[in-house]
Amino acid sequence: MKRKLVMATLSLSLVFSTYTVSAETLSSIKEKKEKNRSEQTEKQGELKKNQNQQDHTLDQIQKLESSINKTLNDIGNKKESIQETKASIEKLKKEIDVLKKRIKERDALLKERVTSMYESGGAVNYLDVVLGSKDFGDFLDRVFALNVIAEQDKAILEEHKQDKESVEKKKGQVESELLSLNTDLNELEGLNQKLTDQKKQKSALLAQLETEEDHLHDHIMQLDETNELLSAQEAAIKAEIERAKREEAERKKKEAEARAAAAAAAAAEKARAEAAAREKKQSNSGGGSSSSPAPTPPPAPTPAPAPVSRDFIMPSQGIITSGFGNRSAGMHYGMDLAQGGSTVPIVAAASGTVTRAYYSSSYGNVVYITHFINGQLYTTLYAHMRSTPAVSQGQSVSQGTFLGYQGNTGASRGQHLHFELHKGPWNGSKSNAVDPRPYLQ
């Protein structure tokens, strides 16, 4: 009786400790979910700020592109104006050549007149012309001719002066215009280079913002996936608690039935013993007549040996190609099992509740299972399966339940099973991961 009381006390202690650990785990998961949600809100704010910066930067780039296009158009117009001005200069050069030729001819004519006047005595020659007239009509003709010559000389001198002034003026105007156009062109080309540099800087900033946006999206997706896993673990732990309660109730029921059966057997044995004693007593009081001895009760059956059970079994067949621990690519948080053949089955290492069954970019087709064994929470993980898992989230599975086949999905190099065992819930840092081999031997 004392032994039974001790066993019952230990059993109750185990159950209570199991629920206490479960409550602590659920509380921890709830805190992680709240922390993730807070981080998600923060990252969503950063993402919104990033997108606003991108919109602002894109608007600046578009304005710069508009300014660059306008500047390039102005540069084109300036270059056309410069070409036209250069053409005008070439035309003016020809005009200047003509003017210079005319000026040269006038210079020669004027020099000839001056020489003639000097050699003939100047005004006296004009008087001789007038006095040498034959008659009054001839006199008038000569006077008119002299006036015409004088007017021509005067006109020649005036044209000579105007042509020189015109040449100098046109030359100055064209040179000034060309200088102004070249100055404007240099300024426009400098502005274009400045705008182009600004556009490059803004484009680099936009590319950086886009990269940051991708990282934020990835981070938020990771937080979403982590929250989904935490919610799934929370549900699986609750399911495991219910399963533990049912198993405990079933165990108690079986113990009660066993106790009742034992009590009934003991009562029957007692009744048989009492009946045998009465029969013997009656036989002895019957005058000494001999009678056959009472039959010996059959011996109690020897109880069958309790089956040897293991908490975890090998999840698949094959050799261990990579164990738990550090390797060249970094820490390996599990054990890889591989065997040749197209269909190598994978089974649940222990009874539990399917936490998640889905496709992961790293694990490929993967199954997470939550277990409560001897008051301890465990999580097992089965990765790189060939196709969609044969079980679904929330499903209760027994040890040895078929999950899928060894495969090569996700970040994998060849067909195998990547198996992880976590003493506690799974987390991104894998801080609860333990070497599975000691648990499988």
Side-chain angles (χ1 to χ4, degrees):
M1 178 62 73
K2 186 176 180 181
R3 181 174 177 274
K4 290 181 180 179
L5 182 60
V6 170
M7 291 299 293
T9 303
L10 289 174
S11 176
L12 287 172
S13 299
L14 181 61
V15 172
F16 288 139
S17 65
T18 297
Y19 298 153
T20 302
V21 170
S22 303
E24 291 174 353
T25 303
L26 290 171
S27 176
S28 174
I29 288 175
K30 184 178 180 181
E31 288 177 4
K32 288 178 182 177
K33 286 171 66 177
E34 290 175 354
K35 182 179 178 182
N36 278 356
R37 277 193 287 267
S38 176
E39 189 174 354
Q40 275 183 302
T41 302
E42 180 184 344
K43 294 302 176 183
Q44 289 287 359
E46 291 181 14
L47 180 62
K48 183 65 177 177
K49 183 179 178 181
N50 175 283
Q51 290 171 340
N52 288 338
Q53 286 180 313
Q54 284 192 61
D55 292 340
H56 179 66
T57 305
L58 190 59
D59 182 60
Q60 288 181 320
I61 289 174
Q62 289 173 346
K63 287 179 180 178
L64 285 170
E65 286 178 346
S66 178
S67 298
I68 288 171
N69 290 334
K70 182 179 180 303
T71 304
L72 290 174
N73 186 56
D74 291 343
I75 289 173
N77 291 335
K78 288 295 179 184
K79 286 183 176 179
E80 288 180 6
S81 297
I82 288 172
Q83 291 300 322
E84 291 173 359
T85 304
K86 286 181 177 179
S88 297
I89 290 173
E90 292 301 320
K91 183 179 178 181
L92 185 59
K93 282 181 179 179
K94 293 178 181 179
E95 292 177 2
I96 289 173
D97 288 341
V98 173
L99 288 173
K100 285 182 177 179
K101 185 177 180 182
R102 279 163 46 186
I103 289 170
K104 186 177 181 180
E105 289 174 353
R106 289 195 197 104
D107 282 341
L109 180 60
L110 289 172
K111 285 178 182 178
E112 184 181 348
R113 290 284 180 88
V114 172
T115 302
S116 175
M117 288 172 66
Y118 176 77
E119 290 175 350
S120 61
V124 178
N125 186 36
Y126 286 98
L127 183 60
D128 289 343
V129 171
V130 173
L131 295 176
S133 302
K134 296 176 181 180
D135 51 31
F136 185 72
D138 185 34
F139 172 78
L140 291 176
D141 289 337
R142 291 192 177 205
V143 170
F144 179 75
L146 287 173
N147 286 334
V148 170
I149 290 170
E151 288 296 328
Q152 286 178 347
D153 287 346
K154 184 179 179 181
I156 288 171
L157 287 170
E158 188 64 31
E159 287 180 8
H160 190 70
K161 179 181 177 182
Q162 289 178 356
D163 284 346
K164 279 188 173 182
E165 290 177 352
S166 177
V167 166
E168 294 298 328
K169 184 177 180 181
K170 286 184 178 180
K171 184 178 179 183
Q173 287 177 344
V174 171
E175 288 176 349
S176 175
E177 183 178 357
L178 182 60
L179 178 63
S180 175
L181 288 170
N182 281 321
T183 300
D184 291 345
L185 179 62
N186 290 333
E187 289 178 355
L188 287 169
E189 288 178 341
L191 176 60
N192 179 59
Q193 185 61 47
K194 181 179 178 181
L195 292 171
T196 302
D197 291 341
Q198 288 179 354
K199 181 185 175 183
K200 287 180 180 178
Q201 292 173 359
K202 296 297 180 183
S203 297
L205 174 60
L206 182 62
Q208 180 183 348
L209 289 170
E210 288 173 347
T211 301
E212 289 177 2
E213 182 187 20
D214 290 340
H215 290 162
L216 285 169
H217 276 301
D218 290 343
H219 195 161
I220 290 170
M221 288 177 65
Q222 288 174 2
L223 290 172
D224 285 338
E225 185 171 345
T226 301
N227 271 348
E228 288 179 10
L229 178 58
L230 288 171
S231 295
Q233 283 189 142
E234 187 176 23
I237 290 170
K238 289 178 179 177
E240 280 295 285
I241 291 174
E242 291 302 317
R243 189 174 67 84
K245 287 180 179 179
R246 289 195 301 270
E247 288 183 353
E248 180 63 17
E250 184 67 23
R251 186 186 63 76
K252 287 181 178 179
K253 180 182 177 182
K254 289 181 178 179
E255 286 181 354
E257 290 175 350
R259 285 195 298 271
E269 181 64 27
K270 182 179 179 181
R272 281 196 299 271
E274 290 176 349
R278 284 195 300 271
E279 184 178 349
K280 183 177 181 181
K281 185 177 181 181
Q282 290 172 359
S283 175
N284 291 334
S285 62
S289 59
S290 64
S291 61
S292 60
T296 303
T302 304
V308 178
S309 63
R310 288 183 295 165
D311 294 335
F312 295 95
I313 62 172
M314 289 294 289
S316 188
Q317 297 176 343
I319 60 172
I320 299 174
T321 56
S322 182
F324 181 91
N326 284 305
R327 59 184 186 182
S328 59
M331 180 64 183
H332 188 234
Y333 290 97
M335 178 177 74
D336 291 345
L337 289 166
Q339 179 170 296
S342 58
T343 54
V344 183
I346 299 168
V347 298
S351 299
T353 301
V354 177
T355 312
R356 291 203 75 187
Y358 73 117
Y359 184 86
S360 161
S361 59
S362 56
Y363 283 134
N365 291 308
V366 61
V367 172
Y368 295 74
I369 301 179
T370 298
H371 317 268
F372 258 122
I373 300 173
N374 300 326
Q376 174 63 51
L377 173 69
Y378 294 94
T379 304
T380 53
L381 182 148
Y382 313 77
H384 308 311
M385 293 194 293
R386 170 170 295 188
S387 56
T388 303
V391 292
S392 57
Q393 183 172 323
Q395 180 179 338
S396 181
V397 295
S398 301
Q399 188 178 64
T401 299
F402 173 72
L403 305 178
Y405 295 104
Q406 287 185 16
N408 189 28
T409 56
S412 169
R413 296 180 180 177
Q415 176 180 301
H416 72 289
L417 165 67
H418 174 76
F419 176 71
E420 293 181 13
L421 177 61
H422 298 259
K423 197 170 183 180
W426 186 94
N427 57 60
S429 63
K430 301 185 181 181
S431 58
N432 293 330
V434 294
D435 187 352
R437 275 188 285 189
Y439 294 83
L440 300 172
Q441 293 174 351

Coordinates of all heavy atoms in Angstrom, one line a residue, residues 185-253:
L185 N 27.3 78.4 -73.6 CA 27.4 76.9 -73.8 C 28.2 76.3 -72.7 O 27.9 75.2 -72.2 CB 28.1 76.7 -75.2 CG 28.4 75.3 -75.6 CD1 27.1 74.5 -75.7 CD2 29.2 75.2 -76.8
N186 N 29.3 76.9 -72.3 CA 30.1 76.4 -71.2 C 29.3 76.3 -69.9 O 29.4 75.3 -69.1 CB 31.4 77.3 -71.0 CG 32.3 77.1 -72.1 OD1 32.4 76.1 -72.8 ND2 33.1 78.2 -72.3
E187 N 28.5 77.3 -69.6 CA 27.7 77.3 -68.4 C 26.6 76.2 -68.5 O 26.4 75.5 -67.5 CB 26.9 78.6 -68.3 CG 27.9 79.8 -67.9 CD 27.2 81.1 -67.8 OE1 26.0 81.1 -68.1 OE2 27.8 82.1 -67.4
L188 N 26.0 76.0 -69.7 CA 25.0 74.9 -69.8 C 25.6 73.6 -69.7 O 25.1 72.7 -69.1 CB 24.3 75.1 -71.2 CG 23.3 76.2 -71.3 CD1 22.9 76.4 -72.8 CD2 22.1 76.0 -70.4
E189 N 26.8 73.4 -70.3 CA 27.5 72.1 -70.2 C 27.9 71.8 -68.7 O 27.8 70.7 -68.3 CB 28.7 72.1 -71.1 CG 28.3 72.0 -72.6 CD 29.6 72.0 -73.5 OE1 30.6 72.4 -73.0 OE2 29.4 71.6 -74.6
G190 N 28.3 72.9 -68.0 CA 28.6 72.7 -66.6 C 27.4 72.4 -65.8 O 27.4 71.5 -64.9
L191 N 26.3 73.0 -66.1 CA 25.0 72.7 -65.4 C 24.6 71.3 -65.7 O 24.1 70.6 -64.8 CB 23.9 73.7 -65.9 CG 22.5 73.5 -65.4 CD1 22.5 73.6 -63.8 CD2 21.5 74.5 -66.0
N192 N 24.7 70.9 -67.0 CA 24.4 69.5 -67.4 C 25.2 68.5 -66.6 O 24.7 67.5 -66.1 CB 24.6 69.3 -68.9 CG 24.2 67.9 -69.3 OD1 23.1 67.5 -69.1 ND2 25.2 67.2 -69.9
Q193 N 26.5 68.8 -66.4 CA 27.3 67.8 -65.7 C 26.9 67.8 -64.2 O 26.9 66.7 -63.6 CB 28.8 68.3 -65.8 CG 29.8 67.3 -65.1 CD 29.8 66.0 -65.8 OE1 29.8 65.8 -67.0 NE2 29.7 64.9 -64.9
K194 N 26.6 69.0 -63.7 CA 26.1 69.0 -62.3 C 24.8 68.3 -62.1 O 24.7 67.5 -61.1 CB 26.0 70.5 -61.9 CG 25.5 70.7 -60.4 CD 25.4 72.2 -60.1 CE 24.9 72.4 -58.7 NZ 24.7 73.8 -58.4
L195 N 23.9 68.5 -63.0 CA 22.6 67.8 -62.9 C 22.8 66.3 -63.1 O 22.1 65.5 -62.4 CB 21.6 68.3 -64.0 CG 21.1 69.7 -63.8 CD1 20.4 70.2 -65.0 CD2 20.3 69.9 -62.5
T196 N 23.7 65.9 -64.0 CA 23.9 64.5 -64.2 C 24.6 63.8 -63.0 O 24.2 62.7 -62.6 CB 24.9 64.3 -65.4 OG1 24.3 64.9 -66.6 CG2 25.2 62.8 -65.7
D197 N 25.5 64.5 -62.3 CA 26.1 64.0 -61.1 C 25.0 63.9 -60.0 O 25.0 62.9 -59.2 CB 27.2 65.0 -60.6 CG 28.4 64.9 -61.5 OD1 28.5 64.0 -62.3 OD2 29.2 65.9 -61.5
Q198 N 24.1 64.9 -59.9 CA 23.1 64.8 -58.9 C 22.1 63.6 -59.2 O 21.7 62.9 -58.2 CB 22.2 66.1 -58.9 CG 23.0 67.3 -58.3 CD 22.2 68.6 -58.4 OE1 21.1 68.6 -58.9 NE2 22.7 69.6 -57.8
K199 N 21.9 63.4 -60.4 CA 21.0 62.3 -60.8 C 21.6 60.9 -60.4 O 21.0 60.0 -59.9 CB 20.7 62.3 -62.3 CG 19.8 61.2 -62.8 CD 19.6 61.1 -64.3 CE 18.8 59.9 -64.7 NZ 18.7 59.8 -66.2
K200 N 23.0 60.8 -60.7 CA 23.7 59.6 -60.3 C 23.6 59.4 -58.8 O 23.4 58.3 -58.3 CB 25.1 59.7 -60.7 CG 25.4 59.6 -62.2 CD 26.8 59.7 -62.6 CE 27.1 59.5 -64.1 NZ 28.5 59.7 -64.4
Q201 N 23.8 60.5 -58.0 CA 23.7 60.4 -56.5 C 22.3 59.9 -56.1 O 22.1 59.1 -55.2 CB 24.1 61.7 -55.9 CG 25.5 62.1 -56.1 CD 25.8 63.5 -55.6 OE1 24.9 64.2 -55.1 NE2 27.1 63.9 -55.7
K202 N 21.3 60.6 -56.7 CA 19.9 60.2 -56.4 C 19.6 58.8 -56.8 O 18.9 58.0 -56.1 CB 18.9 61.2 -57.0 CG 19.1 62.6 -56.5 CD 18.7 62.7 -55.1 CE 18.9 64.2 -54.6 NZ 18.6 64.3 -53.1
S203 N 20.1 58.4 -57.9 CA 19.9 57.0 -58.4 C 20.5 56.0 -57.4 O 20.0 54.9 -57.1 CB 20.4 56.8 -59.8 OG 19.7 57.6 -60.7
A204 N 21.7 56.3 -57.0 CA 22.4 55.5 -56.0 C 21.7 55.4 -54.7 O 21.5 54.3 -54.1 CB 23.9 56.0 -55.8
L205 N 21.1 56.5 -54.3 CA 20.3 56.6 -53.1 C 19.1 55.7 -53.2 O 18.7 55.0 -52.3 CB 20.0 58.0 -52.7 CG 19.0 58.2 -51.5 CD1 19.6 57.6 -50.2 CD2 18.7 59.7 -51.3
L206 N 18.4 55.9 -54.4 CA 17.2 55.1 -54.7 C 17.5 53.6 -54.6 O 16.8 52.8 -54.1 CB 16.6 55.5 -56.0 CG 15.3 54.8 -56.4 CD1 14.2 55.1 -55.4 CD2 14.9 55.2 -57.8
A207 N 18.6 53.2 -55.3 CA 19.0 51.8 -55.3 C 19.3 51.3 -53.8 O 18.9 50.2 -53.5 CB 20.3 51.6 -56.1
Q208 N 19.9 52.1 -53.0 CA 20.2 51.8 -51.6 C 18.8 51.6 -50.9 O 18.7 50.7 -50.1 CB 21.0 52.8 -50.9 CG 21.3 52.6 -49.5 CD 22.1 53.7 -48.8 OE1 22.6 54.5 -49.5 NE2 22.2 53.7 -47.5
L209 N 17.9 52.5 -51.1 CA 16.6 52.5 -50.4 C 15.8 51.2 -50.9 O 15.1 50.6 -50.1 CB 15.8 53.7 -50.8 CG 16.3 55.0 -50.1 CD1 15.5 56.2 -50.7 CD2 16.1 55.0 -48.6
E210 N 15.9 50.9 -52.2 CA 15.3 49.7 -52.7 C 15.8 48.4 -52.0 O 15.1 47.5 -51.7 CB 15.4 49.6 -54.2 CG 14.5 50.6 -54.9 CD 14.8 50.7 -56.4 OE1 15.8 50.1 -56.8 OE2 14.0 51.3 -57.1
T211 N 17.2 48.4 -51.8 CA 17.8 47.3 -51.2 C 17.3 47.2 -49.7 O 17.0 46.1 -49.2 CB 19.3 47.4 -51.2 OG1 19.8 47.5 -52.6 CG2 20.0 46.2 -50.5
E212 N 17.3 48.3 -49.0 CA 16.8 48.4 -47.7 C 15.4 47.9 -47.6 O 15.0 47.2 -46.7 CB 16.9 49.8 -47.1 CG 18.4 50.2 -46.8 CD 18.4 51.7 -46.3 OE1 17.4 52.3 -46.2 OE2 19.6 52.1 -46.1
E213 N 14.6 48.3 -48.6 CA 13.2 47.9 -48.6 C 13.1 46.3 -48.7 O 12.2 45.7 -48.1 CB 12.4 48.5 -49.8 CG 10.9 48.2 -49.8 CD 10.3 48.7 -51.1 OE1 11.0 49.0 -52.1 OE2 9.0 48.7 -51.1
D214 N 13.9 45.8 -49.6 CA 13.9 44.3 -49.8 C 14.3 43.6 -48.4 O 13.6 42.6 -48.0 CB 14.9 43.9 -50.8 CG 14.5 44.3 -52.2 OD1 13.2 44.5 -52.4 OD2 15.3 44.4 -53.1
H215 N 15.3 44.2 -47.7 CA 15.7 43.6 -46.4 C 14.6 43.7 -45.4 O 14.3 42.8 -44.6 CB 16.9 44.3 -45.9 CG 18.2 44.0 -46.7 ND1 19.3 44.8 -46.7 CD2 18.4 43.0 -47.6 CE1 20.2 44.3 -47.5 NE2 19.7 43.2 -48.0
L216 N 13.9 44.9 -45.4 CA 12.7 45.1 -44.5 C 11.6 44.1 -44.8 O 11.0 43.5 -43.9 CB 12.2 46.5 -44.6 CG 13.1 47.6 -43.9 CD1 12.7 49.0 -44.3 CD2 13.1 47.4 -42.4
H217 N 11.3 43.9 -46.1 CA 10.3 42.9 -46.5 C 10.7 41.5 -46.0 O 9.8 40.8 -45.4 CB 10.1 42.9 -48.0 CG 9.2 44.0 -48.5 ND1 7.9 44.1 -48.1 CD2 9.4 45.0 -49.4 CE1 7.3 45.1 -48.7 NE2 8.2 45.7 -49.5
D218 N 12.0 41.2 -46.2 CA 12.4 39.8 -45.8 C 12.3 39.7 -44.3 O 11.9 38.7 -43.8 CB 13.9 39.6 -46.2 CG 14.0 39.5 -47.7 OD1 13.0 39.2 -48.4 OD2 15.1 39.6 -48.2
H219 N 12.7 40.8 -43.6 CA 12.6 40.7 -42.1 C 11.2 40.6 -41.6 O 10.9 39.7 -40.7 CB 13.3 42.0 -41.5 CG 13.6 41.9 -40.1 ND1 14.4 42.8 -39.4 CD2 13.1 41.1 -39.1 CE1 14.5 42.5 -38.1 NE2 13.7 41.4 -37.9
I220 N 10.3 41.3 -42.2 CA 8.9 41.3 -41.9 C 8.3 39.9 -42.2 O 7.6 39.3 -41.4 CB 8.1 42.4 -42.6 CG1 8.5 43.8 -42.0 CG2 6.6 42.2 -42.4 CD1 7.9 44.9 -42.8
M221 N 8.7 39.3 -43.3 CA 8.3 38.0 -43.7 C 8.8 37.0 -42.7 O 8.1 36.0 -42.3 CB 8.7 37.6 -45.1 CG 8.0 38.4 -46.2 SD 8.6 38.0 -47.9 CE 8.2 36.3 -48.0
Q222 N 10.1 37.1 -42.3 CA 10.6 36.2 -41.3 C 9.9 36.3 -39.9 O 9.6 35.3 -39.3 CB 12.1 36.5 -41.0 CG 13.0 36.1 -42.2 CD 14.4 36.6 -42.0 OE1 14.8 37.2 -41.0 NE2 15.3 36.4 -43.0
L223 N 9.5 37.6 -39.6 CA 8.7 37.8 -38.4 C 7.4 37.1 -38.5 O 6.8 36.5 -37.5 CB 8.6 39.3 -38.0 CG 9.9 40.0 -37.6 CD1 9.7 41.5 -37.5 CD2 10.4 39.4 -36.2
D224 N 6.8 37.3 -39.7 CA 5.4 36.7 -39.9 C 5.5 35.1 -39.8 O 4.7 34.5 -39.1 CB 4.9 37.0 -41.3 CG 4.4 38.4 -41.4 OD1 4.1 39.0 -40.4 OD2 4.4 39.0 -42.5
E225 N 6.6 34.6 -40.4 CA 6.8 33.1 -40.4 C 7.1 32.7 -38.9 O 6.5 31.6 -38.5 CB 7.9 32.7 -41.3 CG 8.1 31.2 -41.4 CD 9.1 30.8 -42.5 OE1 9.4 31.6 -43.3 OE2 9.5 29.6 -42.5
T226 N 7.9 33.5 -38.2 CA 8.2 33.1 -36.8 C 6.9 33.2 -36.0 O 6.7 32.3 -35.1 CB 9.2 34.1 -36.3 OG1 10.4 34.0 -37.0 CG2 9.5 33.7 -34.8
N227 N 6.1 34.2 -36.2 CA 4.8 34.3 -35.5 C 3.9 33.1 -35.8 O 3.2 32.6 -34.9 CB 4.1 35.6 -35.8 CG 4.6 36.7 -34.8 OD1 5.2 36.5 -33.8 ND2 4.2 37.9 -35.2
E228 N 3.9 32.7 -37.1 CA 3.0 31.6 -37.4 C 3.5 30.3 -36.7 O 2.7 29.5 -36.2 CB 3.1 31.3 -39.0 CG 2.3 32.4 -39.8 CD 2.4 32.2 -41.2 OE1 2.9 31.1 -41.6 OE2 2.0 33.0 -42.0
L229 N 4.9 30.2 -36.7 CA 5.4 29.0 -36.0 C 5.2 29.0 -34.5 O 4.8 28.0 -33.9 CB 6.9 28.9 -36.2 CG 7.7 27.8 -35.6 CD1 7.1 26.4 -36.0 CD2 9.2 27.9 -35.9
L230 N 5.3 30.3 -33.9 CA 5.0 30.4 -32.5 C 3.5 30.0 -32.2 O 3.2 29.4 -31.2 CB 5.3 31.8 -32.0 CG 6.8 32.2 -31.9 CD1 7.0 33.6 -31.6 CD2 7.5 31.3 -30.8
S231 N 2.6 30.5 -33.0 CA 1.2 30.2 -32.8 C 1.0 28.7 -33.0 O 0.2 28.1 -32.2 CB 0.4 31.0 -33.9 OG 0.5 32.4 -33.6
A232 N 1.6 28.1 -34.0 CA 1.5 26.7 -34.2 C 2.0 25.9 -33.0 O 1.4 24.9 -32.6 CB 2.2 26.3 -35.5
Q233 N 3.2 26.4 -32.5 CA 3.7 25.7 -31.3 C 2.8 25.8 -30.1 O 2.6 24.9 -29.3 CB 5.1 26.3 -31.0 CG 6.2 25.8 -31.9 CD 7.6 26.3 -31.4 OE1 8.6 25.5 -31.6 NE2 7.7 27.5 -30.9
E234 N 2.2 27.0 -29.9 CA 1.3 27.3 -28.9 C 0.1 26.3 -28.9 O -0.2 25.7 -27.9 CB 0.8 28.7 -28.9 CG 0.0 29.1 -27.7 CD -0.4 30.6 -27.8 OE1 -0.4 31.2 -28.9 OE2 -0.7 31.2 -26.8
A235 N -0.4 26.2 -30.1 CA -1.6 25.3 -30.3 C -1.1 23.8 -30.1 O -1.9 23.0 -29.5 CB -2.1 25.4 -31.7
A236 N 0.1 23.4 -30.6 CA 0.6 22.1 -30.4 C 0.8 21.7 -29.0 O 0.5 20.6 -28.5 CB 1.8 21.9 -31.3
I237 N 1.4 22.7 -28.2 CA 1.6 22.4 -26.8 C 0.3 22.2 -26.1 O 0.2 21.3 -25.2 CB 2.4 23.6 -26.2 CG1 3.9 23.6 -26.8 CG2 2.5 23.5 -24.7 CD1 4.7 24.8 -26.4
K238 N -0.7 23.1 -26.4 CA -2.0 22.9 -25.8 C -2.6 21.5 -26.1 O -3.2 20.9 -25.2 CB -2.9 24.0 -26.2 CG -2.6 25.4 -25.6 CD -3.5 26.5 -26.2 CE -3.2 27.8 -25.6 NZ -4.0 28.9 -26.1
A239 N -2.4 21.1 -27.4 CA -2.9 19.8 -27.8 C -2.2 18.7 -27.0 O -2.8 17.7 -26.6 CB -2.8 19.6 -29.3
E240 N -0.9 18.9 -26.9 CA -0.1 17.9 -26.1 C -0.5 17.8 -24.7 O -0.5 16.7 -24.1 CB 1.4 18.2 -26.2 CG 2.0 17.8 -27.6 CD 2.0 16.3 -27.7 OE1 2.8 15.6 -27.0 OE2 1.2 15.8 -28.5
I241 N -0.8 19.0 -24.1 CA -1.3 19.0 -22.7 C -2.6 18.2 -22.6 O -2.8 17.3 -21.7 CB -1.6 20.4 -22.2 CG1 -0.2 21.1 -22.1 CG2 -2.3 20.4 -20.9 CD1 -0.4 22.6 -21.7
E242 N -3.5 18.4 -23.6 CA -4.8 17.6 -23.6 C -4.5 16.1 -23.8 O -5.1 15.3 -23.1 CB -5.7 18.1 -24.7 CG -6.2 19.5 -24.4 CD -7.0 19.6 -23.1 OE1 -7.8 18.7 -22.8 OE2 -6.8 20.6 -22.4
R243 N -3.5 15.8 -24.6 CA -3.2 14.4 -24.9 C -2.6 13.8 -23.6 O -3.0 12.7 -23.2 CB -2.2 14.3 -26.0 CG -1.9 12.8 -26.5 CD -1.1 12.8 -27.7 NE 0.3 13.3 -27.4 CZ 1.2 12.5 -26.9 NH1 1.0 11.2 -26.6 NH2 2.4 13.0 -26.7
A244 N -1.8 14.6 -22.9 CA -1.2 14.1 -21.6 C -2.3 13.9 -20.6 O -2.2 12.9 -19.8 CB -0.2 15.1 -21.1
K245 N -3.3 14.8 -20.6 CA -4.4 14.6 -19.6 C -5.2 13.3 -20.0 O -5.5 12.5 -19.1 CB -5.3 15.8 -19.7 CG -4.8 17.0 -19.1 CD -5.8 18.2 -19.2 CE -5.3 19.5 -18.5 NZ -6.2 20.6 -18.7
R246 N -5.4 13.1 -21.3 CA -6.2 11.9 -21.7 C -5.4 10.6 -21.3 O -6.0 9.7 -20.8 CB -6.5 11.9 -23.2 CG -7.5 13.0 -23.6 CD -8.0 12.7 -25.0 NE -6.9 12.8 -25.9 CZ -6.5 13.9 -26.6 NH1 -7.1 15.0 -26.3 NH2 -5.6 13.8 -27.5
E247 N -4.1 10.7 -21.6 CA -3.3 9.5 -21.3 C -3.2 9.2 -19.8 O -3.3 8.1 -19.3 CB -1.9 9.7 -21.8 CG -1.8 9.6 -23.4 CD -0.4 9.7 -23.9 OE1 0.5 10.0 -23.0 OE2 -0.1 9.5 -25.1
E248 N -3.2 10.3 -19.0 CA -3.1 10.2 -17.6 C -4.5 9.6 -17.1 O -4.5 8.7 -16.2 CB -2.9 11.5 -16.9 CG -2.8 11.5 -15.4 CD -1.7 10.7 -14.8 OE1 -0.7 10.4 -15.6 OE2 -1.7 10.3 -13.7
A249 N -5.6 10.1 -17.6 CA -6.9 9.6 -17.2 C -7.0 8.1 -17.6 O -7.5 7.3 -16.9 CB -8.0 10.4 -17.9
E250 N -6.5 7.8 -18.8 CA -6.6 6.4 -19.3 C -5.7 5.5 -18.4 O -6.1 4.4 -18.0 CB -6.1 6.3 -20.7 CG -6.2 4.9 -21.4 CD -7.6 4.5 -21.5 OE1 -8.5 5.4 -21.6 OE2 -7.9 3.3 -21.6
R251 N -4.5 6.0 -18.0 CA -3.7 5.3 -17.1 C -4.3 5.0 -15.8 O -4.3 3.9 -15.2 CB -2.3 6.0 -16.9 CG -1.3 5.2 -16.2 CD 0.0 6.1 -15.9 NE -0.4 7.2 -15.1 CZ -0.6 7.2 -13.8 NH1 -0.5 6.0 -13.1 NH2 -0.8 8.3 -13.1
K252 N -4.9 6.1 -15.2 CA -5.6 6.0 -13.9 C -6.8 5.0 -14.0 O -7.0 4.2 -13.1 CB -6.1 7.3 -13.5 CG -5.0 8.2 -13.0 CD -5.6 9.6 -12.5 CE -4.5 10.5 -12.0 NZ -5.1 11.8 -11.5
K253 N -7.5 5.0 -15.2 CA -8.6 4.1 -15.4 C -8.1 2.7 -15.4 O -8.7 1.8 -14.7 CB -9.3 4.4 -16.7 CG -10.5 3.5 -17.0 CD -11.1 3.9 -18.3 CE -12.3 3.0 -18.6 NZ -12.9 3.3 -19.9

